[in-house]
Amino acid sequence: MATWNLRAIWTVALLSLAILPAAPSPCADCVTWEEIRSSPDARSLHAMAFDSRRGVTVLYGGVHHYSEPVFDDTWEWDGETWTLRATAGPGPRLEHAMSFDSRRGVTVLFGGYTDTAPARDTWEWDGARWTRADADGPAGLWDVQLAFDQRRGITVLYGTVDNGGAQAVQMWGWDGRSWTLLDADPPDPGYPYRMVFDSQRGVVVLVGADYWGYKTWEWDGASWISGDDGVFPLDFYVRSFALAYDERRGVTLAHGGVYSGMESTWEWDGSSWTSRPDAGLTGREYHALAYDSRRGVTVLFGGRARSQVAKVYPVGDTWEWDGVVWIQTHFGEVWSSQPHAAYDRRRAVTVFYSGNTWEWDGDAWRKVTQDGPSYPYSVGMVFDEVRGVTVLFGNTYEDYYLRRSETWEWDGSVWTERTIENPPARDQQAMTFDSDRGVTVLFSGWQEVGLVSDLWTWDGSEWRLLSTDGPPPRAGHALAYDRSRGRVVLFGGVDIDGSPLGDTWEWDGQEWTLRSTSGPSPRWGHALAFDEERGVTVLFGGVDRVWPYLGDTWEWDGNSWSQRATNGPSQRIDHSMVYSLAGKCVLLLGGYSSNGDARHIWELGYHELMPDSDDDCDVDLLDLAAFQTCFGTDRPLGHCERFDADSTGDITLADFEAFQRNLSGPSPPD
């Protein structure tokens, strides 16, 4: 939706009030899509600082992968849970710096890159909102570092500046009111460099490195003292490392290196560096560290890791160092462009398979095993609620061309391959579980002989071919089981010529029936799930041939299709949908999206629609008129609280942009 002129929209809103129909009866909860974000997205070049007053680690900004997307979100970690605190503030940026001013109780952020030039703005976070503290900070600094000097009560800034074509370094101090140049010619330890404050000895520790060595410097508020020089303590392939000061143990912790298994964790005690074990921690660069003084651990988040084939990729996991060992405390977002998911009704978890096996309990992901299927190609996965196991059917390559079909089962602890005669290997098949007849249903897909309209069932002992008649053969279709009517619902796919299909069929256990040829546009790569709470089969996404991807939501009630919503997940294909019995909602996971946001979980179910001020389950011009009365409000109360989308405590243009994305009433003229 294009960004409209605020004054023009308000004018249209007021003129439209008299002609709008009466609002339906109020409903506090509306059926909407809601994005579930359990942790920050995988990223690098972000910044973190520990807020000792509130006992949380604050994270801001960074970039997902090289150039986009650049983030402007604020997260906090309390040792158990990541919480998204704000989605607006200093603006999207990377390579900025943060530290916590313990005297004034604010997190200070400076600089970074907001576009092609280094920023010079200073921001402060008080736990509720970001405030721009100074518009005229040091100019032209990049590779900035911040550390709060507790003895002198100032935030120390160190960075590189272009000095007449030659690079030079500078050091500045921030007292909460203005910046002061502390040293126009401090030592240059080499690049990359990092900086922390050693509170026990009252010195700023500056560590820099290049491929020829490293240097450690310390500043006592008056002069610099050169520390340990020598062979670089981190692994040879390091391009960026991170520092944090461990107050309990009185050491500076350094971690960096893109290859696992190398000596990547070191500690500085004021006289020498000591290598520490870091088994289990994935090697990485461009990550961030912050020391949690309340729990006595150093928190690590994100960065770029490197695969065995030297491919660099962003990570979003959380680790903690207790002085002895690194422990992974949060796995982050789990994503796959071709996810395979099933909801385990007995254990109330969503099982997710992408080469590794993960489980989602409604709050966080848990990696349960790396063992099991050898990542078979074109997988179908369902939960057999009669036997209490997740059933996986897929194919593995025996050589470059030939495939072998496999059936595996997951009982919540181990994967077991079932050594039985399988249906022929195939691609882009569809599966669902028929709970009334207690069987897994498999239909059609590309086989070596082409497309075949075959329907198979699996009862835990054998696969049985039940039908070769019915819907035309297809691939890329989707199945769901309608528990209220006892029918398998099929929609869409592509035929032998690659033409998309838009027909709806149902299987009653004995025969197929064509139910509809209207409704959603012909497509493939979509997903279906039956919503038990509302008794409808939900369809989302897919693609009409190759492009563009679709992002529409439809519902089938057994007689006809109706379009539910246009707002929600981004357009995508090859995603997975399941019904969560515990959450009473449809979950959408993964897939391939053109704008890269397919890594989040979405829920379709009853939610409070925040910008809906009159509780009519529609964000329309009546709500826009209410927004006008709240715009500019500081610390809003009552219905105005609903418009504070970024939780900053005031109603600003950022909140209007969020409101506009939900606006579904009459559109104003161009």
Side-chain angles (χ1 to χ4, degrees):
M1 186 181 296
T3 301
W4 304 328
N5 177 272
L6 191 60
R7 183 181 297 274
I9 294 179
W10 282 341
T11 301
V12 172
L14 295 174
L15 292 175
S16 304
L17 292 180
I19 61 174
L20 284 175
S25 58
C27 54
D29 292 324
C30 311
V31 179
T32 60
W33 283 107
E34 183 172 279
E35 188 178 22
I36 307 301
R37 299 183 65 181
S38 62
S39 69
D41 292 313
R43 66 186 69 195
S44 60
L45 300 170
H46 49 290
M48 295 199 312
F50 181 71
D51 182 331
S52 56
R53 286 198 181 180
R54 297 186 302 117
V56 294
T57 296
V58 182
L59 180 152
Y60 187 83
V63 61
H64 177 62
H65 196 52
Y66 291 110
S67 61
E68 60 182 49
V70 178
F71 298 108
D72 61 347
D73 48 354
T74 305
W75 290 81
E76 292 183 345
W77 169 253
D78 62 6
E80 295 182 355
T81 304
W82 281 104
T83 302
L84 178 61
R85 296 301 313 278
T87 56
R93 67 185 63 206
L94 64 155
E95 297 190 64
H96 48 293
M98 295 199 319
S99 67
F100 182 70
D101 182 331
S102 56
R103 291 197 178 182
R104 297 187 301 118
V106 293
T107 297
V108 180
L109 179 151
F110 178 81
Y113 286 88
T114 56
D115 44 37
T116 58
R120 57 184 300 189
D121 49 350
T122 306
W123 292 78
E124 293 184 343
W125 169 255
D126 63 4
R129 68 179 72 190
W130 284 101
T131 303
R132 184 163 181 169
D134 185 80
D136 297 315
L141 289 180
W142 69 88
D143 297 329
V144 292
Q145 294 291 300
L146 286 183
F148 182 69
D149 185 328
Q150 298 176 24
R151 290 197 177 180
R152 284 158 284 277
I154 59 172
T155 298
V156 178
L157 166 66
Y158 183 96
T160 303
V161 65
D162 185 348
N163 186 14
Q167 292 185 3
V169 290
Q170 294 179 353
M171 189 168 70
W172 293 73
W174 169 254
D175 61 5
R177 297 182 300 275
S178 61
W179 285 101
T180 302
L181 182 63
L182 300 177
D183 193 337
D185 188 26
D188 185 351
Y191 178 82
Y193 50 78
R194 296 292 181 263
M195 187 175 71
V196 296
F197 181 73
D198 181 330
S199 57
Q200 287 194 12
R201 295 185 301 117
V203 295
V204 171
V205 179
L206 175 67
V207 183
D210 53 33
Y211 287 133
W212 296 273
Y214 75 97
K215 289 185 179 295
T216 305
W217 290 83
E218 294 183 345
W219 184 68
D220 62 7
S223 59
W224 287 96
I225 302 171
S226 178
D228 194 19
D229 297 352
V231 178
F232 186 45
L234 307 176
D235 78 58
F236 179 77
Y237 298 96
V238 72
R239 290 190 294 177
S240 175
F241 61 98
L243 284 187
Y245 180 71
D246 184 329
E247 297 178 10
R248 185 180 65 179
R249 299 170 49 247
V251 294
T252 295
L253 176 73
H255 178 270
V258 294
Y259 291 103
S260 301
M262 294 186 173
E263 296 178 342
S264 299
T265 303
W266 290 73
E267 291 181 343
W268 167 255
D269 62 4
S271 59
S272 62
W273 286 97
T274 302
S275 175
R276 301 305 308 273
D278 55 8
L281 176 59
T282 307
R284 64 194 65 206
E285 59 188 0
Y286 301 117
H287 49 299
L289 295 178
Y291 179 72
D292 182 332
S293 57
R294 179 169 296 186
R295 296 183 301 119
V297 295
T298 298
V299 180
L300 179 154
F301 179 83
R304 293 181 195 162
R306 189 180 298 271
S307 68
Q308 294 180 348
V309 294
K311 180 180 179 181
V312 175
Y313 60 96
V315 290
D317 49 354
T318 305
W319 294 74
E320 292 183 346
W321 170 257
D322 61 4
V324 178
V325 64
W326 284 103
I327 299 173
Q328 188 167 8
T329 53
H330 201 287
F331 289 100
E333 300 286 356
V334 177
W335 172 83
S336 172
S337 59
Q338 292 184 316
H340 317 296
Y343 183 76
D344 184 327
R345 300 170 70 90
R346 292 194 180 182
R347 296 185 301 120
V349 295
T350 299
V351 181
F352 184 93
Y353 177 79
S354 60
N356 297 317
T357 306
W358 301 78
E359 291 184 346
W360 168 257
D361 64 6
D363 294 313
W365 286 103
R366 182 174 69 96
K367 187 177 183 180
V368 290
T369 183
Q370 292 179 302
D371 300 325
S374 56
Y375 200 51
Y377 179 75
S378 195
V379 168
M381 202 162 80
V382 300
F383 180 70
D384 182 332
E385 58 193 76
V386 174
R387 297 183 301 119
V389 295
T390 296
V391 178
L392 180 151
F393 175 84
N395 316 296
T396 56
Y397 284 97
E398 292 186 323
D399 55 42
Y400 189 76
Y401 295 102
L402 298 179
R403 293 187 298 274
R404 179 175 66 90
S405 56
E406 297 179 350
T407 301
W408 290 76
E409 292 182 343
W410 168 254
D411 64 3
S413 299
V414 297
W415 281 101
T416 302
E417 183 177 7
R418 301 302 304 271
T419 55
I420 38 82
E421 184 176 352
N422 289 292
R426 63 193 65 208
D427 299 338
Q428 299 183 48
Q429 71 273 19
M431 285 172 49
T432 191
F433 184 74
D434 181 333
S435 57
D436 288 291
R437 284 160 280 276
V439 293
T440 294
V441 179
L442 166 70
F443 180 71
S444 200
W446 289 103
Q447 302 180 28
E448 288 189 347
V449 297
L451 287 177
V452 178
S453 184
D454 55 345
L455 184 145
W456 296 76
T457 61
W458 165 252
D459 61 5
S461 299
E462 63 175 347
W463 282 101
R464 296 179 58 201
L465 178 62
L466 292 192
S467 173
T468 56
D469 298 322
R474 63 193 65 206
H477 50 295
L479 297 179
Y481 187 68
D482 184 330
R483 299 170 67 94
S484 63
R485 298 185 303 113
R487 300 288 189 273
V488 173
V489 179
L490 177 152
F491 181 83
V494 293
D495 63 17
I496 191 67
D497 298 320
S499 298
L501 302 169
D503 49 350
T504 305
W505 293 75
E506 291 185 345
W507 168 259
D508 63 3
Q510 300 293 326
E511 61 182 1
W512 284 103
T513 303
L514 176 62
R515 296 302 313 277
S516 178
T517 56
S518 61
S521 60
R523 68 189 67 199
W524 64 274
H526 52 288
L528 292 179
F530 181 68
D531 186 329
E532 298 179 28
E533 178 76 3
R534 299 183 297 116
V536 293
T537 297
V538 179
L539 177 152
F540 182 83
V543 64
D544 176 4
R545 293 188 181 271
V546 179
W547 191 265
Y549 297 156
L550 303 171
D552 47 351
T553 305
W554 291 77
E555 293 179 350
W556 170 254
D557 62 5
N559 294 304
S560 61
W561 286 98
S562 58
Q563 190 166 2
R564 158 59 61 179
T566 56
N567 295 333
S570 62
Q571 302 92 331
R572 68 188 69 196
I573 62 171
D574 295 337
H575 45 291
S576 185
M577 293 203 310
V578 300
Y579 178 75
S580 168
L581 191 63
K584 296 184 178 181
C585 61
V586 171
L587 299 180
L588 184 151
L589 305 95
Y592 186 81
S593 171
S594 57
N595 67 3
D597 69 350
R599 55 191 172 274
H600 300 152
I601 296 175
W602 287 78
E603 289 182 353
L604 179 66
Y606 290 105
H607 302 109
E608 184 178 5
L609 193 58
M610 289 302 291
D612 180 24
S613 62
D614 53 7
D615 286 331
D616 67 350
C617 291
D618 186 23
V619 181
D620 53 25
L621 292 179
L622 289 169
D623 301 301
L624 185 58
F627 184 94
Q628 181 186 14
T629 66
C630 297
F631 185 73
T633 302
D634 186 32
R635 303 195 181 280
L637 300 174
H639 74 277
C640 290
E641 290 183 273
R642 296 192 176 192
F643 299 130
D644 186 15
D646 53 11
S647 302
T648 58
D650 50 13
I651 310 301
T652 65
L653 284 175
D655 300 304
F656 175 68
E657 292 172 359
F659 177 90
Q660 185 178 338
R661 288 193 294 269
N662 288 282
L663 186 64
S664 58
S667 299
D670 293 333

